[in-house]
């Protein structure tokens, strides 16, 4: 397949490892990965903050960047941004755009996927050949869980990773408290929600807390660092892109 990689704002500016891991993984699985350079923000922040008309140029740019008929699928390492494309773009287009834009939005959103759902639902793959010998717990982010309904797909992929010690996160489906601008506008509530999440992560004794959204990992990771727990955060794509180090032939230095 010819797959367009949607990096997202946060991935591009702050978490490039998750983006490059997605490209590496899909390439390793035998697909042609392309990166449309005109891609920008999906407009989620504008819509969620109440500035829907300002999101229109971003929606138009998204369909221009990924609307090429030669692109079979658009994949992003973010349930949040894919949720925006699937559920908010048509709202913005229908209210402030044209009938033509609405049609193009329908076409492009239908081929836009979050990484785990693309691997499991489209490619039919759960074992991607990954190797990650560490104790890991998984946080299902709100948009992937409630908006995209990816369900067990990320866990199916993690369970197939060689040498991983995957431990269940208590109260996993509880929000971490980030919610984009929610963490700014409702800081005290966000902090209380984060405290509960950090306590549950600590209870697992995990070396890594993983998720499918860099935004939530940023929030959780900040809290873990301040508490000096020693637990690190890592995007799902980075685990799935990890492979066992090559073993040097006998007599050859590794």
């Amino acid at each position: 397949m010819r797959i367009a990689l949607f990096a997202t704002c946060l991935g591009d500016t702050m978490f490039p490892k998750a983006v490059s891991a997605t490209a590496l993984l899909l390439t390793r699985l035998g697909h042609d990965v392309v990166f449309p350079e005109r891609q920008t923000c999906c407009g989620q922040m504008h819509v969620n903050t109440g500035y829907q008309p300002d999101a229109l140029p971003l929606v138009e740019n998204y369909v221009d960047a990924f609307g090429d008929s030669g692109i079979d699928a658009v994949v992003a390492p973010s349930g949040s941004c894919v949720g925006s494309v699937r559920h908010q773009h048509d709202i913005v287009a229908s209210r402030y755009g044209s009938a033509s834009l609405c049609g193009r939005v329908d076409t492009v959103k239908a081929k836009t996927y979050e990484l785990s759902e693309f691997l499991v639902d489209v490619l039919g793959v759960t074992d991607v050949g990954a190797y990650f010998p560490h104790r890991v717990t998984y946080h299902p982010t709100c948009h992937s869980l409630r908006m995209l309904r990816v369900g067990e797909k990320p866990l199916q992929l993690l369970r197939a990773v060689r040498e991983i010690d995957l431990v269940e996160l208590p109260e996993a489906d509880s929000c971490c408290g980030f919610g984009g601008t929610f963490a700014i506008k409702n800081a005290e509530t966000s902090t209380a929600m984060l405290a509960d999440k950090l306590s549950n992560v600590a209870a697992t004794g995990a070396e890594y807390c993983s998720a499918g959204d860099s935004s939530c990992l940023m929030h959780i990771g900040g809290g873990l660092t301040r508490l000096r727990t020693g637990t690190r955060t890592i995007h799902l794509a980075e685990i799935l892109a990890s492979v066992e180090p090559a073993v040097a032939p006998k007599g050859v230095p590794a």
Side-chain angles (χ1 to χ4, degrees), residues 38-227:
R38 69 175 300 165
Q39 62 178 280
T40 57
C41 176
C42 66
Q44 176 188 180
M45 179 177 66
H46 305 69
V47 176
N48 290 350
T49 314
Y51 296 96
Q52 290 188 8
D54 295 311
L56 181 61
L58 298 170
V59 172
E60 292 172 330
N61 187 76
Y62 186 87
V63 297
D64 286 341
F66 297 105
D68 185 341
S69 60
I71 293 174
D72 299 308
V74 182
V75 177
S78 169
S80 177
C81 294
V82 170
S84 177
V85 172
R86 294 253 198 93
H87 297 277
Q88 295 179 337
H89 279 198
D90 55 356
I91 295 174
V92 173
S94 62
R95 289 180 179 176
Y96 310 104
S98 63
S100 173
L101 178 61
C102 290
R104 296 171 67 207
V105 163
D106 286 341
T107 298
V108 179
K109 77 174 188 179
K111 63 178 181 179
T112 300
Y113 300 92
E114 180 269 340
L115 177 61
S116 71
E117 65 174 354
F118 180 73
L119 292 171
V120 177
D121 289 345
V122 180
L123 299 185
V125 175
T126 53
D127 186 346
V128 298
Y131 170 84
F132 197 73
H134 300 282
R135 188 175 179 88
V136 177
T137 194
Y138 174 77
H139 165 63
T141 65
C142 290
H143 283 87
S144 62
L145 184 68
R146 297 176 173 86
M147 187 173 281
L148 297 182
R149 301 188 182 281
V150 300
E152 288 276 304
K153 297 178 183 69
L155 291 171
Q156 286 179 270
L157 292 160
L158 286 171
R159 289 176 187 135
V161 174
R162 288 159 182 74
E163 300 298 324
I164 195 171
D165 179 13
L166 185 63
V167 291
E168 184 177 352
L169 179 64
E171 299 180 37
D173 59 355
S174 295
C175 177
C176 71
F178 180 59
T181 55
F182 173 84
I184 299 172
K185 294 181 176 181
N186 302 276
E188 292 184 359
T189 302
S190 173
T191 300
M193 295 170 74
L194 175 62
D196 290 340
K197 182 61 64 175
L198 297 179
S199 176
N200 288 326
V201 170
T204 67
E207 298 172 71
Y208 290 92
C209 176
S210 184
D213 273 279
S214 294
S215 53
C216 298
L217 289 175
M218 177 177 66
H219 191 55
I220 295 170
L224 292 171
T225 300
R226 288 189 292 275
L227 293 177

